[in-house]
Amino acid sequence: MAHGALDPFEADAGAVIPPTLYALRREGSSESPEGLLSWVVGLAHAHCLGPRTLVKYLLEQSERHADFWSDTAYFERHCATVNGLGRYALTMLDALGRPRPSKAQCMTLLGLAHLLPFNGEGLLARNPRWCPACLCEQARKGQRPHHPLVWSFEHYRVCHVHQGFMSERCPACGAEQAFLPIYPSLLHCNACGESMIVRPPGPADLEVTSSQEEISAFDRWSASALVDLVSRIPELQRAGSLAQMQQNLVDLAASLTQGNRKGLCEALGLQPRAINGWLNKDERPSLALLLRFCHGLNLLPADLFLANGAIGRAELPKPAQTPSSDRQERPMLGYRQRELLERQLELVLENPSDYRGLAAVAHQLGLSRHALKYWFPAQSKEIVLKRRMAESRTLERRYRTDHEYLQQVITELVASRVYPSRRKVERMLGQRQLSLMRPDLYTAYRRRLMSLQ
């Protein structure tokens, strides 16, 4: 803990004081900023805390966010969107409060919230990715290990610096990494503890890689286009708009296909009505479709939202230049089928002992979680709320049991005429895999010591 900073766990047990953490300088540059999740891991490391312990404490102390807090759902799913442009990015920025660095919003994609859908196809990667050569260079330069924001994109699969595939699994054990790891390190696997840094690939290694799997032109172009998109977030936040995108699309169709939108889409290898929603329904373009559209015209995605001369330089591609999409179509449900599924959802909600999550219910009905939310939004919201309430009650019972055990430990030590020091209490709590590192247990411990004095 830095000199002059307040330790939130050393405060008076009866006072409610928000934590004061010293600010941590963000890594990266304005063209390639650090991601917010990476910065949170660095902040936890600087304060000798686990990232999950830090985030859990910050959110539990927030009156605005404690109502939807669920540690299981948050660490498994929700924290994956902290670098994105939804409410969990706003939640993290708000929870950090004063310790967050200047221009902290630039470490997320919130500057694109008025242009892209927050849960659109192909926006964020489903699990963390990293470039071992980049991490190696950071270590050699003495920088704090960090993940740039652009690594968060689903279609950033190739490092634009080293032109190699991004890694998704530990080179030693093959385990995927968590977005918020248990230990505050981005250089070591959270499953086996081995180092993630490997030497940059040499010419021989590149030959082996290229023979096993060839990097496509689309992946190379997407990496450069996404780096450009992140570097121009301030400009897009200031001057980018959907209205300008619609005008640019009209101009493109007029200059390339004499106003034939269907012909423009077919020339790019897209569905004939791929851009109709953008033009007629004010829909925000998904990043996956936006990249395919812009790649076909050799146009940077950021230019599509701005008024500049780049649109006039676009040209129709050669046939089959744009890659196809592997997106699955949304299942169409008939009236009788929707009626039957709605009745099954009502049975789930009426059953007081059924606390399954939305994914489990969707699997039972033969749908995906996203399809269930699309067709039955009200019931899906109630299922999620029911699950959170059950998790909160389970967590409350567990905390009550843990506090009772702590009181029992202290009582036994005092009865044996032994001072309940932190080391002795920690040793006995360890028998149940508990620790005074947990803020609630430490606060209860301090209160009991004060009552004994």
Side-chain angles (χ1 to χ4, degrees), residues 421-446:
S421 66
R422 179 167 182 170
R423 179 176 298 179
K424 291 185 175 65
V425 173
E426 282 276 18
R427 186 182 300 114
M428 298 184 69
L429 289 178
Q431 299 175 3
R432 291 197 179 183
Q433 297 183 345
L434 300 176
S435 172
L436 293 180
M437 282 295 293
R438 257 179 50 184
D440 59 301
L441 289 179
Y442 185 76
T443 301
Y445 169 71
R446 290 295 301 273

PDB file of all heavy atoms in Angstrom, residues 421-446:
ATOM      1  N   SER A 421      -4.935 -14.002  18.347  1.00  0.00           N
ATOM      2  CA  SER A 421      -4.183 -13.234  17.357  1.00  0.00           C
ATOM      3  C   SER A 421      -4.626 -13.608  15.937  1.00  0.00           C
ATOM      4  O   SER A 421      -5.260 -14.644  15.722  1.00  0.00           O
ATOM      5  CB  SER A 421      -2.685 -13.484  17.501  1.00  0.00           C
ATOM      6  OG  SER A 421      -2.381 -14.832  17.183  1.00  0.00           O
ATOM      7  N   ARG A 422      -4.267 -12.773  15.013  1.00  0.00           N
ATOM      8  CA  ARG A 422      -4.695 -13.022  13.634  1.00  0.00           C
ATOM      9  C   ARG A 422      -4.094 -14.314  13.104  1.00  0.00           C
ATOM     10  O   ARG A 422      -4.759 -15.068  12.378  1.00  0.00           O
ATOM     11  CB  ARG A 422      -4.292 -11.845  12.738  1.00  0.00           C
ATOM     12  CG  ARG A 422      -4.681 -12.030  11.287  1.00  0.00           C
ATOM     13  CD  ARG A 422      -4.568 -10.756  10.498  1.00  0.00           C
ATOM     14  NE  ARG A 422      -4.992 -10.957   9.112  1.00  0.00           N
ATOM     15  CZ  ARG A 422      -5.179  -9.984   8.237  1.00  0.00           C
ATOM     16  NH1 ARG A 422      -4.983  -8.720   8.600  1.00  0.00           N
ATOM     17  NH2 ARG A 422      -5.565 -10.255   7.004  1.00  0.00           N
ATOM     18  N   ARG A 423      -2.843 -14.590  13.459  1.00  0.00           N
ATOM     19  CA  ARG A 423      -2.205 -15.808  12.962  1.00  0.00           C
ATOM     20  C   ARG A 423      -2.901 -17.043  13.497  1.00  0.00           C
ATOM     21  O   ARG A 423      -3.153 -17.998  12.734  1.00  0.00           O
ATOM     22  CB  ARG A 423      -0.740 -15.814  13.364  1.00  0.00           C
ATOM     23  CG  ARG A 423       0.025 -17.051  12.910  1.00  0.00           C
ATOM     24  CD  ARG A 423       1.488 -16.967  13.249  1.00  0.00           C
ATOM     25  NE  ARG A 423       2.126 -15.843  12.571  1.00  0.00           N
ATOM     26  CZ  ARG A 423       3.398 -15.512  12.701  1.00  0.00           C
ATOM     27  NH1 ARG A 423       4.187 -16.233  13.508  1.00  0.00           N
ATOM     28  NH2 ARG A 423       3.897 -14.487  12.050  1.00  0.00           N
ATOM     29  N   LYS A 424      -3.247 -17.056  14.782  1.00  0.00           N
ATOM     30  CA  LYS A 424      -3.916 -18.229  15.357  1.00  0.00           C
ATOM     31  C   LYS A 424      -5.306 -18.408  14.762  1.00  0.00           C
ATOM     32  O   LYS A 424      -5.735 -19.528  14.454  1.00  0.00           O
ATOM     33  CB  LYS A 424      -3.992 -18.084  16.877  1.00  0.00           C
ATOM     34  CG  LYS A 424      -2.653 -18.184  17.590  1.00  0.00           C
ATOM     35  CD  LYS A 424      -2.859 -18.141  19.097  1.00  0.00           C
ATOM     36  CE  LYS A 424      -1.532 -18.356  19.830  1.00  0.00           C
ATOM     37  NZ  LYS A 424      -0.572 -17.253  19.579  1.00  0.00           N
ATOM     38  N   VAL A 425      -6.020 -17.315  14.622  1.00  0.00           N
ATOM     39  CA  VAL A 425      -7.369 -17.409  14.059  1.00  0.00           C
ATOM     40  C   VAL A 425      -7.306 -17.857  12.597  1.00  0.00           C
ATOM     41  O   VAL A 425      -8.117 -18.686  12.159  1.00  0.00           O
ATOM     42  CB  VAL A 425      -8.093 -16.051  14.187  1.00  0.00           C
ATOM     43  CG1 VAL A 425      -9.428 -16.076  13.457  1.00  0.00           C
ATOM     44  CG2 VAL A 425      -8.300 -15.700  15.654  1.00  0.00           C
ATOM     45  N   GLU A 426      -6.342 -17.323  11.853  1.00  0.00           N
ATOM     46  CA  GLU A 426      -6.190 -17.723  10.452  1.00  0.00           C
ATOM     47  C   GLU A 426      -5.930 -19.225  10.337  1.00  0.00           C
ATOM     48  O   GLU A 426      -6.454 -19.892   9.444  1.00  0.00           O
ATOM     49  CB  GLU A 426      -5.034 -16.953   9.810  1.00  0.00           C
ATOM     50  CG  GLU A 426      -5.362 -15.529   9.412  1.00  0.00           C
ATOM     51  CD  GLU A 426      -6.022 -15.458   8.040  1.00  0.00           C
ATOM     52  OE1 GLU A 426      -6.522 -16.488   7.559  1.00  0.00           O
ATOM     53  OE2 GLU A 426      -6.053 -14.365   7.460  1.00  0.00           O
ATOM     54  N   ARG A 427      -5.096 -19.763  11.247  1.00  0.00           N
ATOM     55  CA  ARG A 427      -4.757 -21.179  11.188  1.00  0.00           C
ATOM     56  C   ARG A 427      -6.001 -22.046  11.399  1.00  0.00           C
ATOM     57  O   ARG A 427      -6.207 -23.050  10.701  1.00  0.00           O
ATOM     58  CB  ARG A 427      -3.707 -21.517  12.244  1.00  0.00           C
ATOM     59  CG  ARG A 427      -3.193 -22.948  12.134  1.00  0.00           C
ATOM     60  CD  ARG A 427      -2.191 -23.267  13.217  1.00  0.00           C
ATOM     61  NE  ARG A 427      -1.036 -22.401  13.154  1.00  0.00           N
ATOM     62  CZ  ARG A 427      -0.704 -21.506  14.092  1.00  0.00           C
ATOM     63  NH1 ARG A 427      -1.481 -21.377  15.175  1.00  0.00           N
ATOM     64  NH2 ARG A 427       0.357 -20.756  13.958  1.00  0.00           N
ATOM     65  N   MET A 428      -6.858 -21.642  12.325  1.00  0.00           N
ATOM     66  CA  MET A 428      -8.067 -22.428  12.595  1.00  0.00           C
ATOM     67  C   MET A 428      -9.115 -22.219  11.499  1.00  0.00           C
ATOM     68  O   MET A 428      -9.850 -23.152  11.153  1.00  0.00           O
ATOM     69  CB  MET A 428      -8.625 -22.062  13.961  1.00  0.00           C
ATOM     70  CG  MET A 428      -7.673 -22.355  15.116  1.00  0.00           C
ATOM     71  SD  MET A 428      -8.379 -22.036  16.742  1.00  0.00           S
ATOM     72  CE  MET A 428      -9.608 -23.338  16.852  1.00  0.00           C
ATOM     73  N   LEU A 429      -9.190 -21.027  10.956  1.00  0.00           N
ATOM     74  CA  LEU A 429     -10.129 -20.800   9.861  1.00  0.00           C
ATOM     75  C   LEU A 429      -9.726 -21.576   8.618  1.00  0.00           C
ATOM     76  O   LEU A 429     -10.580 -21.976   7.810  1.00  0.00           O
ATOM     77  CB  LEU A 429     -10.208 -19.304   9.519  1.00  0.00           C
ATOM     78  CG  LEU A 429     -10.898 -18.395  10.531  1.00  0.00           C
ATOM     79  CD1 LEU A 429     -10.842 -16.946  10.052  1.00  0.00           C
ATOM     80  CD2 LEU A 429     -12.351 -18.811  10.732  1.00  0.00           C
ATOM     81  N   GLY A 430      -8.430 -21.794   8.446  1.00  0.00           N
ATOM     82  CA  GLY A 430      -7.957 -22.528   7.280  1.00  0.00           C
ATOM     83  C   GLY A 430      -8.465 -23.950   7.222  1.00  0.00           C
ATOM     84  O   GLY A 430      -8.474 -24.568   6.153  1.00  0.00           O
ATOM     85  N   GLN A 431      -8.907 -24.508   8.363  1.00  0.00           N
ATOM     86  CA  GLN A 431      -9.456 -25.859   8.361  1.00  0.00           C
ATOM     87  C   GLN A 431     -10.750 -25.941   7.557  1.00  0.00           C
ATOM     88  O   GLN A 431     -11.135 -27.016   7.103  1.00  0.00           O
ATOM     89  CB  GLN A 431      -9.696 -26.324   9.798  1.00  0.00           C
ATOM     90  CG  GLN A 431      -8.423 -26.379  10.635  1.00  0.00           C
ATOM     91  CD  GLN A 431      -8.683 -26.726  12.086  1.00  0.00           C
ATOM     92  OE1 GLN A 431      -9.824 -26.994  12.475  1.00  0.00           O
ATOM     93  NE2 GLN A 431      -7.632 -26.715  12.898  1.00  0.00           N
ATOM     94  N   ARG A 432     -11.413 -24.808   7.415  1.00  0.00           N
ATOM     95  CA  ARG A 432     -12.634 -24.753   6.597  1.00  0.00           C
ATOM     96  C   ARG A 432     -12.417 -23.912   5.342  1.00  0.00           C
ATOM     97  O   ARG A 432     -13.380 -23.432   4.747  1.00  0.00           O
ATOM     98  CB  ARG A 432     -13.798 -24.179   7.406  1.00  0.00           C
ATOM     99  CG  ARG A 432     -14.292 -25.067   8.524  1.00  0.00           C
ATOM    100  CD  ARG A 432     -15.667 -24.639   8.980  1.00  0.00           C
ATOM    101  NE  ARG A 432     -16.189 -25.475  10.038  1.00  0.00           N
ATOM    102  CZ  ARG A 432     -17.416 -25.347  10.570  1.00  0.00           C
ATOM    103  NH1 ARG A 432     -18.220 -24.400  10.093  1.00  0.00           N
ATOM    104  NH2 ARG A 432     -17.809 -26.136  11.528  1.00  0.00           N
ATOM    105  N   GLN A 433     -11.177 -23.747   4.968  1.00  0.00           N
ATOM    106  CA  GLN A 433     -10.828 -22.980   3.768  1.00  0.00           C
ATOM    107  C   GLN A 433     -11.378 -21.557   3.830  1.00  0.00           C
ATOM    108  O   GLN A 433     -11.875 -21.007   2.845  1.00  0.00           O
ATOM    109  CB  GLN A 433     -11.341 -23.695   2.514  1.00  0.00           C
ATOM    110  CG  GLN A 433     -10.709 -25.046   2.291  1.00  0.00           C
ATOM    111  CD  GLN A 433     -11.171 -25.713   1.017  1.00  0.00           C
ATOM    112  OE1 GLN A 433     -12.154 -25.307   0.421  1.00  0.00           O
ATOM    113  NE2 GLN A 433     -10.454 -26.749   0.594  1.00  0.00           N
ATOM    114  N   LEU A 434     -11.280 -20.954   5.014  1.00  0.00           N
ATOM    115  CA  LEU A 434     -11.668 -19.565   5.209  1.00  0.00           C
ATOM    116  C   LEU A 434     -10.429 -18.743   5.519  1.00  0.00           C
ATOM    117  O   LEU A 434      -9.374 -19.285   5.866  1.00  0.00           O
ATOM    118  CB  LEU A 434     -12.680 -19.437   6.356  1.00  0.00           C
ATOM    119  CG  LEU A 434     -13.998 -20.204   6.200  1.00  0.00           C
ATOM    120  CD1 LEU A 434     -14.847 -20.071   7.454  1.00  0.00           C
ATOM    121  CD2 LEU A 434     -14.768 -19.706   4.984  1.00  0.00           C
ATOM    122  N   SER A 435     -10.555 -17.432   5.404  1.00  0.00           N
ATOM    123  CA  SER A 435      -9.426 -16.548   5.662  1.00  0.00           C
ATOM    124  C   SER A 435      -9.935 -15.169   6.060  1.00  0.00           C
ATOM    125  O   SER A 435     -11.013 -14.733   5.624  1.00  0.00           O
ATOM    126  CB  SER A 435      -8.533 -16.436   4.425  1.00  0.00           C
ATOM    127  OG  SER A 435      -7.537 -15.448   4.606  1.00  0.00           O
ATOM    128  N   LEU A 436      -9.146 -14.495   6.879  1.00  0.00           N
ATOM    129  CA  LEU A 436      -9.478 -13.117   7.258  1.00  0.00           C
ATOM    130  C   LEU A 436      -9.203 -12.144   6.125  1.00  0.00           C
ATOM    131  O   LEU A 436      -9.438 -10.940   6.284  1.00  0.00           O
ATOM    132  CB  LEU A 436      -8.679 -12.710   8.508  1.00  0.00           C
ATOM    133  CG  LEU A 436      -9.058 -13.448   9.793  1.00  0.00           C
ATOM    134  CD1 LEU A 436      -8.195 -12.966  10.954  1.00  0.00           C
ATOM    135  CD2 LEU A 436     -10.532 -13.263  10.124  1.00  0.00           C
ATOM    136  N   MET A 437      -8.697 -12.618   4.997  1.00  0.00           N
ATOM    137  CA  MET A 437      -8.590 -11.762   3.834  1.00  0.00           C
ATOM    138  C   MET A 437      -9.965 -11.339   3.332  1.00  0.00           C
ATOM    139  O   MET A 437     -10.103 -10.341   2.638  1.00  0.00           O
ATOM    140  CB  MET A 437      -7.820 -12.473   2.715  1.00  0.00           C
ATOM    141  CG  MET A 437      -6.325 -12.485   2.908  1.00  0.00           C
ATOM    142  SD  MET A 437      -5.614 -10.826   2.840  1.00  0.00           S
ATOM    143  CE  MET A 437      -5.918 -10.421   1.118  1.00  0.00           C
ATOM    144  N   ARG A 438     -10.983 -12.117   3.668  1.00  0.00           N
ATOM    145  CA  ARG A 438     -12.339 -11.724   3.306  1.00  0.00           C
ATOM    146  C   ARG A 438     -12.742 -10.511   4.138  1.00  0.00           C
ATOM    147  O   ARG A 438     -12.668 -10.538   5.371  1.00  0.00           O
ATOM    148  CB  ARG A 438     -13.313 -12.874   3.558  1.00  0.00           C
ATOM    149  CG  ARG A 438     -13.719 -13.594   2.304  1.00  0.00           C
ATOM    150  CD  ARG A 438     -14.643 -14.728   2.555  1.00  0.00           C
ATOM    151  NE  ARG A 438     -15.791 -14.434   3.382  1.00  0.00           N
ATOM    152  CZ  ARG A 438     -16.679 -15.354   3.781  1.00  0.00           C
ATOM    153  NH1 ARG A 438     -16.528 -16.598   3.395  1.00  0.00           N
ATOM    154  NH2 ARG A 438     -17.688 -15.021   4.545  1.00  0.00           N
ATOM    155  N   PRO A 439     -13.151  -9.434   3.506  1.00  0.00           N
ATOM    156  CA  PRO A 439     -13.430  -8.194   4.246  1.00  0.00           C
ATOM    157  C   PRO A 439     -14.471  -8.361   5.344  1.00  0.00           C
ATOM    158  O   PRO A 439     -14.320  -7.799   6.433  1.00  0.00           O
ATOM    159  CB  PRO A 439     -13.923  -7.234   3.161  1.00  0.00           C
ATOM    160  CG  PRO A 439     -13.327  -7.753   1.900  1.00  0.00           C
ATOM    161  CD  PRO A 439     -13.280  -9.231   2.054  1.00  0.00           C
ATOM    162  N   ASP A 440     -15.542  -9.129   5.088  1.00  0.00           N
ATOM    163  CA  ASP A 440     -16.595  -9.270   6.104  1.00  0.00           C
ATOM    164  C   ASP A 440     -16.088 -10.027   7.329  1.00  0.00           C
ATOM    165  O   ASP A 440     -16.422  -9.668   8.470  1.00  0.00           O
ATOM    166  CB  ASP A 440     -17.806  -9.975   5.504  1.00  0.00           C
ATOM    167  CG  ASP A 440     -17.465 -11.359   4.971  1.00  0.00           C
ATOM    168  OD1 ASP A 440     -16.597 -11.455   4.079  1.00  0.00           O
ATOM    169  OD2 ASP A 440     -18.049 -12.337   5.461  1.00  0.00           O
ATOM    170  N   LEU A 441     -15.253 -11.061   7.115  1.00  0.00           N
ATOM    171  CA  LEU A 441     -14.709 -11.808   8.254  1.00  0.00           C
ATOM    172  C   LEU A 441     -13.711 -10.963   9.037  1.00  0.00           C
ATOM    173  O   LEU A 441     -13.676 -11.010  10.274  1.00  0.00           O
ATOM    174  CB  LEU A 441     -14.038 -13.097   7.772  1.00  0.00           C
ATOM    175  CG  LEU A 441     -14.974 -14.205   7.252  1.00  0.00           C
ATOM    176  CD1 LEU A 441     -14.160 -15.408   6.778  1.00  0.00           C
ATOM    177  CD2 LEU A 441     -15.962 -14.622   8.336  1.00  0.00           C
ATOM    178  N   TYR A 442     -12.917 -10.176   8.321  1.00  0.00           N
ATOM    179  CA  TYR A 442     -11.945  -9.336   9.018  1.00  0.00           C
ATOM    180  C   TYR A 442     -12.647  -8.271   9.857  1.00  0.00           C
ATOM    181  O   TYR A 442     -12.239  -7.975  10.989  1.00  0.00           O
ATOM    182  CB  TYR A 442     -11.006  -8.674   8.012  1.00  0.00           C
ATOM    183  CG  TYR A 442      -9.888  -7.884   8.667  1.00  0.00           C
ATOM    184  CD1 TYR A 442      -8.798  -8.535   9.227  1.00  0.00           C
ATOM    185  CD2 TYR A 442      -9.953  -6.504   8.751  1.00  0.00           C
ATOM    186  CE1 TYR A 442      -7.776  -7.832   9.832  1.00  0.00           C
ATOM    187  CE2 TYR A 442      -8.939  -5.775   9.363  1.00  0.00           C
ATOM    188  CZ  TYR A 442      -7.854  -6.449   9.899  1.00  0.00           C
ATOM    189  OH  TYR A 442      -6.859  -5.733  10.501  1.00  0.00           O
ATOM    190  N   THR A 443     -13.722  -7.682   9.306  1.00  0.00           N
ATOM    191  CA  THR A 443     -14.481  -6.682  10.064  1.00  0.00           C
ATOM    192  C   THR A 443     -15.103  -7.299  11.308  1.00  0.00           C
ATOM    193  O   THR A 443     -15.065  -6.709  12.399  1.00  0.00           O
ATOM    194  CB  THR A 443     -15.582  -6.074   9.172  1.00  0.00           C
ATOM    195  OG1 THR A 443     -14.984  -5.468   8.024  1.00  0.00           O
ATOM    196  CG2 THR A 443     -16.373  -5.029   9.929  1.00  0.00           C
ATOM    197  N   ALA A 444     -15.670  -8.505  11.171  1.00  0.00           N
ATOM    198  CA  ALA A 444     -16.249  -9.189  12.336  1.00  0.00           C
ATOM    199  C   ALA A 444     -15.172  -9.531  13.364  1.00  0.00           C
ATOM    200  O   ALA A 444     -15.397  -9.434  14.585  1.00  0.00           O
ATOM    201  CB  ALA A 444     -16.976 -10.451  11.887  1.00  0.00           C
ATOM    202  N   TYR A 445     -13.990  -9.911  12.883  1.00  0.00           N
ATOM    203  CA  TYR A 445     -12.872 -10.223  13.784  1.00  0.00           C
ATOM    204  C   TYR A 445     -12.443  -8.988  14.578  1.00  0.00           C
ATOM    205  O   TYR A 445     -12.235  -9.050  15.801  1.00  0.00           O
ATOM    206  CB  TYR A 445     -11.722 -10.773  12.951  1.00  0.00           C
ATOM    207  CG  TYR A 445     -10.414 -10.895  13.694  1.00  0.00           C
ATOM    208  CD1 TYR A 445     -10.225 -11.864  14.678  1.00  0.00           C
ATOM    209  CD2 TYR A 445      -9.353 -10.040  13.410  1.00  0.00           C
ATOM    210  CE1 TYR A 445      -9.018 -11.982  15.344  1.00  0.00           C
ATOM    211  CE2 TYR A 445      -8.144 -10.152  14.071  1.00  0.00           C
ATOM    212  CZ  TYR A 445      -7.982 -11.111  15.037  1.00  0.00           C
ATOM    213  OH  TYR A 445      -6.800 -11.224  15.702  1.00  0.00           O
ATOM    214  N   ARG A 446     -12.335  -7.838  13.902  1.00  0.00           N
ATOM    215  CA  ARG A 446     -11.945  -6.608  14.581  1.00  0.00           C
ATOM    216  C   ARG A 446     -12.984  -6.177  15.607  1.00  0.00           C
ATOM    217  O   ARG A 446     -12.655  -5.712  16.709  1.00  0.00           O
ATOM    218  CB  ARG A 446     -11.737  -5.496  13.553  1.00  0.00           C
ATOM    219  CG  ARG A 446     -10.498  -5.683  12.661  1.00  0.00           C
ATOM    220  CD  ARG A 446      -9.219  -5.598  13.501  1.00  0.00           C
ATOM    221  NE  ARG A 446      -9.124  -4.318  14.173  1.00  0.00           N
ATOM    222  CZ  ARG A 446      -8.599  -3.219  13.648  1.00  0.00           C
ATOM    223  NH1 ARG A 446      -8.131  -3.252  12.405  1.00  0.00           N
ATOM    224  NH2 ARG A 446      -8.524  -2.104  14.343  1.00  0.00           N
TER     225      ARG A 446
END
